[in-house]
Amino acid sequence: MSPRAWGILLVLSGAIFLEGIDVAMMGVALPAIQSDLGMSTASLQWVVSAYVLGYGGFMLLGGRAADLLGRRRMFLFWLTVFLLFSGLGGFADSGWMLILSRFVTGLAAAFMTPAGLSIITTSFAEGPQRNKALLVYAGIAAAGFSLGLVVGGLLTAIHWRWVFFAPVILAALILVTAARLLPREERPARTSGFDVTGAVTITGAMLLLVTTVVRAPDVDVKWTVLTGVAGLLALSVFVAVERRSSSPLVRLGILRSAPLIRANIGAIAFSGSFVGFQFMLVQYLQHLRGWSALETGLAMIAIGIDAIVAPVLTPRLVARFGNTKVIATGFTAALGAYAFFLTVGTDTAYAVMLPAMLLLGMAFALAYGPLTIAATDGIDEAEQGLAGGLFNTSFQFGSALGLAVATAVNVAVTQSESPSDLLAGYKAAFVVSVVAAFLALLTTFGGLRSARR
């Protein structure tokens, strides 16, 4: 690749690094935020869920908007919105203000992320060059999440507000560099074909479905059923609209791609297992073990091995064994890591937990990048934004689902604040991650059979 191509790749990877580090730092800072703003555990979950709601609810719209309205334009505009509302979160003096800022930040990421991913997939030729670019992109994304755990602990030790201010500085640097490097596009010749009805119905459906998932642990069952049914109805209306539309927001034929479907189902299960596990592991280390935010971040840096493995080892494994086998190995590693944590006690030494954390870092390195390739491979250039939007929607919806189910199970099992009851609640939540990782592994079997044929 030319120096300019590397520059474009690194600045776009910087944006996904920003998104990853922002989410990871937030996870470590939650206990400090809860204490300072006096938020309940149920409302604290909304600091995470509001971001996922904005991200997952608008991702498909964001992906198609990138294809129709201009990828560079969408990327730069929504990166600016991300910057502004991350700063607003740093000034929040109440729970509702913080939750609002996280929702809009997630919405901005929903438009920014598929735009950046589709610029990569349309700038690099399909095959080894694009695979290399996507694996670098995925490796930097993983590095952002892993380093965010440590940086979040360091910044929280100063004050949790720096968890919001630090991304503002990084976003400003990326914005200035992207404006100079990203090639200008011709303004789309025709925008009247934008599927407004499809955009409204799919966004409404995703918002309702994500709301159903994230609110399930703390609302009455009837409200969960009501919003779930409403979401499915909106989704069915969307499908009917797309079948009749001359310029559909989502061409339903794209869903005939078996690798794309397997990649998205795998992403839902894998991200759900990881996010639910990470949230509960932080609670276990800080609430039960009494570790500080800094100690927690340093302990979880072992998961950051993915930042080294993903760009160095994963491309070689994909080239030799193929995407599907590498993904299956990653899911298997994740399953083993989660299963180990079912054995932890109230005084388990860190040295005993370290191998499982390293194994989980390996799992993320082996699964995330190849999943990204599988989700966009073979898709027409005009629909790369849509494919990226579908993949990121699946990842965020899975995150919301995993977090909600793990939280619900934890609350149901924990009977008191005694160490034994708290431990039982955390172990029950870890079971959710084990099950989700096993379901992710099941999705790869069809791909393995196809590879053998």
Side-chain angles (χ1 to χ4, degrees):
M1 290 188 286
S2 68
R4 183 175 181 83
W6 271 110
I8 292 171
L9 174 59
L10 292 177
V11 76
L12 294 171
S13 299
I16 197 68
F17 176 90
L18 170 68
E19 194 269 334
I21 200 170
D22 177 80
V23 172
M25 290 193 301
M26 188 62 53
V28 177
L30 286 175
I33 294 172
Q34 181 179 22
S35 176
D36 200 14
L37 298 184
M39 301 176 70
S40 66
T41 301
S43 62
L44 184 68
Q45 181 193 315
W46 273 100
V47 176
V48 177
S49 298
Y51 181 89
V52 174
L53 185 64
Y55 205 152
F58 289 87
M59 181 67 75
L60 283 178
L61 180 58
R64 198 56 180 149
D67 290 333
L68 297 177
L69 303 178
R71 292 161 182 143
R72 181 182 188 273
R73 188 177 298 111
M74 288 290 99
F75 180 82
L76 294 178
F77 175 79
W78 288 104
L79 177 58
T80 304
V81 175
F82 188 100
L83 182 157
L84 294 174
F85 277 85
S86 183
L88 176 64
F91 290 108
D93 57 2
S94 62
W96 72 265
M97 185 176 178
L98 182 62
I99 291 169
L100 174 64
S101 73
R102 293 304 292 167
F103 175 77
V104 180
T105 304
L107 186 152
F111 284 82
M112 175 183 75
T113 302
L117 179 58
S118 61
I119 291 174
I120 291 176
T121 55
T122 55
S123 299
F124 297 92
E126 186 172 354
Q129 189 182 65
R130 183 186 293 178
N131 288 353
K132 180 178 180 179
L134 287 174
L135 289 170
V136 169
Y137 176 83
I140 292 177
F145 190 86
S146 304
L147 293 176
L149 299 171
V150 181
V151 175
L154 292 170
L155 294 178
T156 303
I158 301 171
H159 199 285
W160 62 262
R161 295 186 186 278
W162 277 102
V163 168
F164 292 87
F165 294 144
V168 172
I169 299 171
L170 180 57
L173 293 174
I174 295 171
L175 181 62
V176 171
T177 309
R180 292 176 61 87
L181 279 181
L182 296 184
R184 294 187 177 275
E185 309 164 295
E186 293 184 8
R187 184 177 293 274
R190 176 173 174 266
T191 58
S192 58
F194 188 76
D195 183 9
V196 177
T197 306
V200 171
T201 52
I202 189 58
T203 301
M206 294 308 301
L207 285 171
L208 285 166
L209 291 173
V210 175
T211 300
T212 299
V213 169
V214 300
R215 295 195 67 194
D218 50 32
V219 299
D220 192 88
V221 174
K222 66 181 180 182
W223 290 109
T224 299
V225 173
L226 181 63
T227 54
V229 169
L232 292 175
L233 286 175
L235 190 61
S236 63
V237 171
F238 167 74
V239 171
V241 168
E242 298 307 278
R243 284 177 173 172
R244 292 171 174 79
S245 176
S246 58
S247 54
L249 182 71
V250 176
R251 185 181 64 83
L252 298 180
I254 197 174
L255 301 179
R256 296 194 184 100
S257 170
L260 180 144
I261 293 298
R262 280 195 297 269
N264 280 272
I265 294 175
I268 290 173
F270 182 64
S271 64
S273 72
F274 187 81
V275 172
F277 171 79
Q278 186 255 341
F279 183 81
M280 287 301 159
L281 182 61
V282 169
Q283 302 300 311
Y284 163 76
L285 294 176
Q286 293 195 28
H287 285 173
L288 180 59
R289 305 295 298 275
W291 293 14
S292 67
L294 177 58
E295 289 172 329
T296 301
L298 291 173
M300 296 177 69
I301 194 174
I303 301 175
I305 191 176
D306 59 351
I308 301 172
V309 174
V312 176
L313 180 61
T314 306
R316 298 179 182 180
L317 294 176
V318 169
R320 181 168 182 177
F321 299 107
N323 249 0
T324 306
K325 290 182 180 179
V326 176
I327 292 171
T329 303
F331 289 164
T332 303
L335 181 61
Y338 299 141
F340 165 81
F341 276 90
L342 298 179
T343 68
V344 297
T346 56
D347 58 354
T348 302
Y350 176 68
V352 177
M353 294 185 284
L354 179 59
M357 290 189 179
L358 291 171
L359 187 61
L360 185 56
M362 287 290 296
F364 210 92
L366 295 176
Y368 184 68
L371 278 173
T372 307
I373 295 173
T376 57
D377 202 24
I379 303 299
D380 187 83
E381 181 173 319
E383 294 183 320
Q384 285 292 327
L386 172 59
L390 285 168
F391 178 73
N392 284 292
T393 297
S394 297
F395 220 83
Q396 292 304 315
F397 187 77
S399 299
L401 182 62
L403 179 60
V405 174
T407 301
V409 170
N410 175 261
V411 170
V413 173
T414 305
Q415 300 297 317
S416 71
E417 289 294 312
S418 69
S420 60
D421 279 358
L422 287 174
L423 181 62
Y426 296 136
K427 284 188 175 183
F430 292 152
V431 170
V432 174
S433 294
V434 171
V435 173
F438 178 71
L439 293 176
L441 184 58
L442 286 179
T443 65
T444 63
F445 287 166
L448 290 171
R449 287 197 297 270
S450 299
R452 283 196 293 271
R453 285 198 297 269

